[in-house]
Amino acid sequence: SYSRKLSDDVEVSRVGSLEEIRHFYDVQLEVFGGQQEPSQERLKRELQDCTGPDCPVVRLIAYHRGELAGVGAISLFEGCDCGMLWGGSVLESHRGRGCYTGLLQARADICVARDISTMGLHAKADTSAPIVAAHGFERFGKRVDYSLDMRG
């Protein structure tokens, strides 16, 4: 099981408003780069998909001393005993303050509440892997990625 003492300066809560889902994307774009924020319509759909007691995706937002600090999410699949973590990211100015730990703990708590025994994630070897290994995650398997450009 995963259980860590959290910093009193860190608060993690579920995304529950359009403003918070925008913050989620703001952090993702700043940390990972990539494309621009989705349209208002898509944000509304994604908000609907990540709210409610039994939703398949839970998005979380972390604050450090009241400031937006990081985000993370977990996907929960019917009939699967593994919660898949994704999007864990902390703004550079808030790293090393317990925000990522808080996001991990919140997702572990969701797994416990839904009687899910395992958390998993895809971690890049040079960035995320050392962080999650320090939190007790073990390497499992090998992944080969494929993509198909749907625009061309």
Side-chain angles (χ1 to χ4, degrees):
S1 77
Y2 185 84
S3 180
R4 297 292 194 271
K5 173 150 177 37
L6 302 181
S7 167
D8 292 336
D9 293 335
V10 175
E11 179 186 332
V12 177
S13 59
R14 288 179 72 154
V15 167
S17 70
L18 276 174
E19 180 181 23
E20 289 172 333
I21 204 153
R22 276 189 201 94
H23 288 314
F24 188 96
Y25 276 100
D26 291 344
V27 172
Q28 294 273 284
L29 290 170
E30 185 169 329
V31 173
F32 295 124
Q35 57 190 347
Q36 62 188 1
E37 182 179 291
S39 69
Q40 180 80 1
E41 293 76 29
R42 182 170 171 188
L43 289 172
K44 286 179 182 178
R45 280 194 314 273
E46 290 191 19
L47 178 62
Q48 187 174 17
D49 290 344
C50 75
T51 54
D54 296 319
C55 58
V57 175
V58 177
R59 293 176 190 243
L60 301 161
I61 193 162
Y63 297 92
H64 179 259
R65 296 185 179 166
E67 290 183 29
L68 175 63
V71 298
I74 183 168
S75 293
L76 307 151
F77 302 98
E78 185 75 31
C80 180
D81 194 33
C82 180
M84 290 301 296
L85 310 183
W86 57 275
S89 48
V90 175
L91 297 171
E92 191 170 347
S93 61
H94 291 282
R95 292 183 184 159
R97 298 179 179 175
C99 299
Y100 193 81
T101 300
L103 289 162
L104 281 177
Q105 186 63 60
R107 292 180 282 182
D109 293 344
I110 290 165
C111 287
V112 169
R114 294 201 188 182
D115 199 29
I116 294 172
S117 66
T118 305
M119 291 192 304
L121 70 150
H122 300 290
K124 292 185 177 182
D126 58 342
T127 56
S128 300
I131 296 167
V132 297
H135 282 273
F137 286 77
E138 297 177 4
R139 185 178 174 150
F140 178 81
K142 184 175 180 178
R143 182 177 120 169
V144 178
D145 295 320
Y146 294 86
S147 68
L148 176 63
D149 185 350
M150 300 303 292
R151 295 171 286 180

